[in-house]
Amino acid sequence: MPKNTKVTQREHSSEPVTESVADLLSLEHPMDYKSSQMSMGLSPGSTAPVKALLPSPDPDAEDGRPAWNNKLEYILAQVGFSVGLGNVWRFPYLCQKNGGGAYLVPYFILLLLIGIPLFFLELAVGQRIRRGSIGVWNYVYPQLGGIGVSSLMVCGFVGLYYNVIIGWSIFYFFQSFQYPLPWAECPIQRNGSQAIVVPECEKSSATTYFWYRQTLNITSSIDDTGGLNLKMTLSLLVAWILVCLAVIKGIQSSGKVMYFSSLFPYVVLFCFLVRGLMLRGAIDGIAHMFTPKLEKMLEPQVWREAATQVFFALGLGFGGVIAFSSYNKRDNNCHFDAALVSVINFVTSILATLVVFAVLGFKANVMNEKCVVDNAEKILGFLNSGVLSRELIPHHINFSHLTAEGYTEMYGVIKAVKEDSFAQLGLDACLLEDELNKAVQGTGLAFIAFTEAMTHFPASPFWSVMFFFMLINLGLGSMIGTMTGITTPILDAFKIRKEILCVVCCVIAFLLGLLFVQRSGNYFVTMFDDYSAGLPLTVVVILENISVAWIYGTKRFMQDLEDMLGFRPYAFYYYMWRYVSPAVLVLLITATVIEMAVSPAGYNAWVEAEGAESFQDYPPWALAMAYALIVVAMLPLPVVFIARHFNLISDGSNKLSVSYRKGMMKDISNLEEQDEQRFILSKNPSEAPSPMPAHRAYLGPGGTQEMTNTNYGTSTKTGYQNIGSPESEL
C-alpha cells in the first residue's frame, strides 16, 4: 500500500478516518478475484458462490487452532463436562422432593424448550466462530462482549470450590482401603477405667461424625475459621495436580483423559445398579422414587427447580461448551451433537436415580429394622416394669422374631389404649415410608447417606473405593470443561504457552482455594454454591440468547446453520430461540430473585454439643461477601457495554478501531447509487460473476448491518469487508 494513503496515516494517528471507500480503494492495485481468497471468500481458482453469511475464512483453512483427534473424543469431552456430580446427588433429590415420577414430566418438557435449543446455540456459535467465550461474543455483538468475561469469572468461582469436593472424594477414596471402613462404627474414648462412645458420634451417627469431625473437623460457625485443615489441604493439592496434568496440553491431553474419566463412571453406575437391585429393600426405594404425585406438577416451585436443573446439567453459560466446540471443524453436525449429549445427560440422571434409591431403599429397610428392634426393647422394659400390661400385646406377636408389620400392629394398639400418656413412652412408629422420605442431597447424600449404606454391603471397602473413584472421575470431567472455559479465551487473546498458563492458573486456584480447606471451609463452599453461579449464569445465558436471536438475527443465524451443516434446522429452533427460551429465562431470573429476597440468607452450622445441624444467618461481612460474588460475576456486562458504547476500548471483534469500522460501514451504505464492483474488482459489472444468490443478504462485520447491493440484487464480499473474520479478532 502506498505510504501516503490515509489507511497508512490511520495506523499512526488516533483521529477517525473520514475518507470514502472509493478513495480508500482507488490507490490499490487491481485484484484478480479468481486468485484471491479475500475478495469473494472463495478458494483460489474457484467461482462457486459463497455460502456463509458470517465473514469467516474458508472452513478448511489452516488457522493453527488445535483440533480434536476424532469425534469420539469431542463427544466424551462434552459428556464429561455436562455429566457431573449434580447428576448423582442433585437430580435424585429433586425427583424425590418434587413428586417422584411426576417430576420427570416438567423436566423433560423444559429440556426440550430451553435445554437442547440453548445447548445447540452454544455449540453452533463456538464451532462457527472458532473462539472461546470472550472471542465469540466480542464477534457476535461487541457491546455485549462482557458475556464472555462474566462466563470466565463464573468458571473461576465454580472451579475454586468444585475442586474442593474432588479433594474430599480423594480423601474418602484413600480412607476406603481398610476393613472395617473407618466410618462404620463410632470411636471409643477412655474416661478413666471406662470406655465410652464419643458423645458427638452417639448423638448423630458414625458416618455423620466421620464427615463433620474426622474429615472436616468443622467449627460451629463461619466466624470461627479454625485455621487450615492439613488433611483437606493436602487432598486439595492432589486434586489440583490431577486437573493440571489433565489440561496442561489442552485438548490433546484432556481428550485422552476423557476416554477414562467419562466412561468409567458408567461402569461403576451399572455395577452399583446390578448390586443394588440384589439388595433387600431395593425395590421399595425404586417404587417410592417413581410413584408419581401428580398434584406436584401444578406447583410453580417444581417447574422452577426443574428449569434450574436443566440449565446447570448441560453446563450452559460456563463457556466450556463453546470452548470445546470451537476446536471442531466448521462442517461438524453440531445439531446431532446437541441432541445426543442432552439425551445422554438425561439418561445418566435416570440411571443415577435408580442406583441412589435402590441403595437408599436398602438403607431404609436396615434403619427401619433397627428402629423396630430398639423400640421393641423399650416395650419389653415397660412390660417388665409394669408400665404396660401384657394384655395389650397381641398373642401372635413374638418378640424374638418381630417383623415390621407385627411392630406396627402392636404400636397401634398401645397408642389407642394409652392415648393420654402415649407421648411419654417415647415410642417411634418405625414406618418404612418415613425413612424413604428423608430426602438428602449434595454432600449429605455422597458422604453420609451413601457411605452409611455401603457399610452394610458385603465387601464394603471394594464398593466404597469404586464409588469415590467414580465421584473423582465425574468431578474431573467437569473440571476439565471448566478449566477449558477459562484457558481457551485467554489463549485466544494472548500469545501464551498453554502449559505455562495452565500451571499458573492451577497454582493461583490452589492458593485461593485455601479458603475452603479451613475448618470453616464447608460454609464457604455452601456460600459459593448458592451465590456465585445461579443468578449470574442465568443472566449470561439470556444475553447469549438475545444477542443471537434478536441482535444478530434468528433468520441470519438459521441461514448460517444451513450453510454450515448442509441442511436447515427445524423451524422449532427458530421459535424457541426467538420467543420461548428468552421468556422462560426471564421467568427463571424473576423466580430466582424473588426466592433470594424472601428466603433467609444463611447456612447450616454443625453444633458439636447437639450432634446436629442448626440453621444460622450469615453475619454482615459474610452476607456482603455473598452478594459481592453476584456483583463481581455480572460486573463485566455493564462495564464492557458502557466502555464500547463510548468507544473507550476496542470493540474486540477485529484489530481496527470502532470509529474506523463505523466510518467504513457508513461509506459502504452509500454505495447503492454507485457501481461498487468497479472499485473492488476493477471490472465492469457485466464481467464480474455474482458471488451470492440474489435472495441472500450479506451481514457486515460484527453482524450489525446488512450490506446489500440493490443495483444488482446481489451481495458482494470484499477484501476490506473481511476484517471482521474470527481470525482477526482479539
Side-chain angles (χ1 to χ4, degrees), residues 9-65:
Q9 296 172 16
R10 170 65 183 85
E11 296 178 356
H12 305 285
S13 172
S14 59
E15 296 181 3
V17 174
T18 58
E19 61 183 326
S20 67
V21 178
D23 292 337
L24 183 69
L25 297 176
S26 61
L27 297 175
E28 296 293 330
H29 296 294
M31 287 196 300
D32 181 4
Y33 70 92
K34 292 185 179 181
S35 62
S36 172
Q37 293 186 34
M38 296 190 66
S39 63
M40 295 294 180
L42 306 175
S43 59
S46 173
T47 58
V50 172
K51 290 184 177 181
L53 292 178
L54 284 171
S56 59
D58 182 69
D60 297 324
E62 290 293 335
D63 58 3
R65 191 171 187 78

Side-chain angles (χ1 to χ4, degrees), residues 661-677:
R661 187 160 170 252
K662 287 183 175 179
M664 285 184 59
M665 293 292 290
K666 181 177 179 180
D667 282 331
I668 291 169
S669 65
N670 292 332
L671 289 176
E672 292 182 354
E673 303 300 327
Q674 303 177 26
D675 186 352
E676 181 181 358
Q677 295 186 6

Side-chain angles (χ1 to χ4, degrees), residues 50-53 559 563 692-698 708 713-715:
V50 172
K51 290 184 177 181
L53 292 178
Q559 183 63 56
D563 297 334
M692 275 191 177
H695 66 278
R696 284 189 190 166
Y698 173 68
T708 306
T714 61
S715 302

Side-chain angles (χ1 to χ4, degrees), residues 161-184:
Y161 77 84
Y162 202 89
N163 220 27
V164 174
I165 300 174
I166 299 178
W168 294 339
S169 301
I170 291 172
F171 176 76
Y172 268 78
F173 172 75
F174 286 107
Q175 290 292 316
S176 299
F177 288 95
Q178 50 187 306
Y179 184 83
L181 291 170
W183 52 82

Side-chain angles (χ1 to χ4, degrees), residues 528-593:
F528 272 64
D529 190 39
D530 291 340
Y531 290 93
S532 68
L535 184 60
L537 274 186
T538 314
V539 173
V540 162
V541 174
I542 192 173
L543 290 178
E544 289 181 357
N545 194 169
I546 290 173
S547 64
V548 170
W550 288 92
I551 298 176
Y552 180 78
T554 314
K555 291 182 180 179
R556 299 178 185 176
F557 188 56
M558 292 288 282
Q559 183 63 56
D560 286 341
L561 291 175
E562 181 178 358
D563 297 334
M564 185 169 67
L565 303 177
F567 63 90
R568 192 173 188 84
Y570 301 115
F572 165 81
Y573 292 105
Y574 176 89
Y575 295 104
M576 292 300 104
W577 287 329
R578 192 162 181 84
Y579 303 111
V580 179
S581 296
V584 173
L585 289 172
V586 168
L587 291 175
L588 181 58
I589 290 174
T590 304
T592 302
V593 172

Side-chain angles (χ1 to χ4, degrees), residues 350-471:
I350 300 298
L351 175 62
T353 300
L354 287 171
V355 170
V356 166
F357 279 90
V359 174
L360 292 185
F362 164 71
K363 173 179 174 288
N365 273 268
V366 171
M367 299 305 294
N368 195 58
E369 290 177 0
K370 182 181 178 182
C371 176
V372 168
V373 171
D374 291 344
N375 283 271
E377 291 178 355
K378 286 184 182 180
I379 293 174
L380 282 174
F382 293 144
L383 292 174
N384 294 331
S385 62
V387 176
L388 293 177
S389 171
R390 293 187 180 274
E391 296 179 356
L392 297 177
I393 309 302
H395 296 293
H396 62 277
I397 297 296
N398 183 354
F399 277 91
S400 60
H401 297 89
L402 185 61
T403 63
E405 292 78 10
Y407 173 79
T408 301
E409 181 183 354
M410 182 170 56
Y411 176 86
V413 172
I414 296 174
K415 184 176 182 181
V417 174
K418 295 286 186 178
E419 184 175 355
D420 296 335
S421 59
F422 180 77
Q424 299 174 3
L425 298 177
L427 297 177
D428 296 321
C430 295
L431 297 176
L432 181 63
E433 189 75 11
D434 292 341
E435 287 292 337
L436 291 171
N437 282 329
K438 292 180 180 179
V440 288
Q441 65 164 322
T443 55
L445 175 63
F447 298 106
I448 298 177
F450 219 87
T451 51
E452 183 173 355
M454 285 187 295
T455 59
H456 302 287
F457 280 24
S460 54
F462 169 78
W463 293 104
S464 183
V465 167
M466 293 284 282
F467 177 71
F468 288 108
F469 195 35
M470 178 190 72
L471 291 188

